[in-house]
Amino acid sequence: MLAVLLGFGLFVLVCFLALYLGMTAQQQVRLSLHQSLHDHSKYVRFMQDKHDLNRLGYAQQLTRRLNGFSVFAVPFSGMSVMTGAALLLLPALAQGGPWLLSFGWPILGLFTLLVACSHAAQSSAYPTAGGIYHSTVAAGGRRTGITAGWLQFLGTLFLLAGSNLLLAYWLTSTIAVMGSFELERWHFLGLLAGLYASQYLYSVRAASSLGRYLTGTAWMQVAAIVLTLVLLSISRWGGYLPLTEMFRWHHPFDVSGGSSSLASALTGLLLLARPLMGAEHTATLAEETVDPRIQIPWAIFLSTVYVFIFGYILFAILFIHYPLVPDQHVTWQLLLDDIASRWELWGDWLSPLCMVIVLWSGWSSGLVAMTAASRLWLAMSRDETVPLARLGTKVSRRWRVPHVALFGAAGLSMLAAFLLLAIHDNGETELAICVQLLALGMLGLHGAAWISVGARRIASIRHKTLAAGPWQLGVWGPIVEYAALGFLLLMIGGAAWLLTASSWLVVGVALITIWLATVRRIRHSRRKEFVKATGANRFSRRQLEELIQIERNYTEL
């Protein structure tokens, strides 16, 4: 009983903390001098955002299509509660046990919320496509900023590869079960390549509808969560297991896929942490968002809060409703068959409907990651801090997207996925390969965040003046960032613990690439003034003429 009270108490504590931090941020926004101009025309709001971007040294090349709920839908769709419930929940429970839901998820939610607050404050201060990269350059200098930018870029690519690989494995097995035939290896590789190709084509050709699409995806996931809860309640009220089972260390599932070792527990924690990763991707869409200093940080913060709450409720209900079979690990399909058997009218459409929902959610999650990686590459290319910078800065005048950067992000991520498949093609399970990709993604993203937050803390200790946006936590900001630093370091250590020797080889190659690229680009841009990152308000005539010339080619209004 004590474990139940502690588990629910921890969940309630995180909810109240989120409410308090949100109220604190809202108070800081009201006290700031920022004006959102909601009551003015679209032209006035656009000019405000454009001039704000110009003051940071950038021309307005991308179209500001995201506004209101569509901004929130970007991280909410990218984190994807439904994908986590369908593809990651059961493997996580098999590896670590129910304590991951009762204590692991609230603890992950608590510290992920603190990290999200830090990301939100940084994105409010530097509303550019660079995100963490630009705020780190301002706080820690070029070398530190470029390193953080590379880590975030590679982490996003690995996260995209892991998500698409997991979705391709699931599609292959689901099609084989529904079609009653076995798919060959080349079918799986074709599905994986098809996911990348379709995401790339949509990102380029249908960029104007990205906000509307992700808004629909977010509402679909909310409706799917509600529908799942209703169907489970009607089919079997109370479930198969008492809720108290969720607070046990040893679980009733077959644990043949896991063990009681530390590595098994860390694997389960990593899988469960995936739906809470990716909120910072929204910051890379700042140049496509209306009033980004306000809307981007709120999207990062609120998406983390709602994913945490929805995930806790959905995962708990799913846990007690999974039908148990002796000596057999349960699957998502077994749950669907159990529901359909209790209501015959659902049998014909339940499985195809769930397949569409999971495919839609997983595909959209990869789309958001690919979009974020391309915008970050665009930002670093404009600062001439990456190889082939001239190609990376190309923006299509017709579709208003960095099409070359998108192609590079899709190609590099797919190359990473095929490389990991080739390296680990020695009898390892599909889940093990996905775990390696997710661990690599966590190393990159959390490593970049740790460097960024650490650079801000060091700059504050040295009394270096940094830009501050309207969204901030006031006196609680330093405390939140110090707590976030400790959590990020622990997660980095846990992800590193899970990497195999082959994956460490990939890490070594990536680190050498980052180091060589960083040294070369710093030497190349030694004479280049980084007014872009520091937010200087004084420009030379040449800089102003360059901005005007670029914006003439990308007129919006």
Side-chain angles (χ1 to χ4, degrees), residues 75 146 410:
I146 295 174

Side-chain angles (χ1 to χ4, degrees), residues 197-211:
S198 58
Q199 289 164 346
Y200 167 74
L201 290 175
Y202 184 91
S203 298
V204 174
R205 298 299 182 92
S208 60
S209 62
L210 179 64

Side-chain angles (χ1 to χ4, degrees), residues 359-376:
L359 177 60
W360 185 355
S361 302
W363 188 88
S364 301
S365 179
L367 176 69
V368 171
M370 183 181 295
T371 303
S374 67
R375 296 334 187 244
L376 177 59

Side-chain angles (χ1 to χ4, degrees), residues 92 95-97 99-100 249 259-270 498:
Q95 293 288 332
W99 71 272
L100 290 176
W249 181 272
S259 67
S260 58
S261 65
L262 177 61
S264 181
L266 287 176
T267 300
L269 201 63
L270 171 65
L498 294 176

Side-chain angles (χ1 to χ4, degrees), residues 56-132:
L56 294 172
Y58 294 106
Q60 181 69 55
Q61 294 177 275
L62 307 176
T63 302
R64 296 188 180 271
R65 304 183 180 98
L66 301 176
N67 191 11
F69 187 81
S70 62
V71 187
F72 166 82
V74 173
F76 188 79
S77 302
M79 298 162 86
S80 188
V81 179
M82 287 304 299
T83 305
L87 306 182
L88 299 173
L89 177 59
L90 288 175
L93 290 176
Q95 293 288 332
W99 71 272
L100 290 176
L101 296 183
S102 53
F103 296 101
W105 181 260
I107 292 174
L108 285 173
L110 169 63
F111 288 100
T112 302
L113 176 64
L114 302 183
V115 175
C117 288
S118 178
H119 286 316
Q122 294 180 51
S123 65
S124 182
Y126 300 95
T128 69
I132 289 177

Side-chain angles (χ1 to χ4, degrees), residues 388-412:
L388 304 176
R390 181 168 297 182
L391 289 175
T393 58
K394 291 184 178 296
V395 176
S396 171
R397 298 184 184 181
R398 178 179 179 183
W399 293 298
R400 304 296 291 273
V401 294
H403 55 290
V404 177
L406 271 168
F407 183 81
L412 289 175

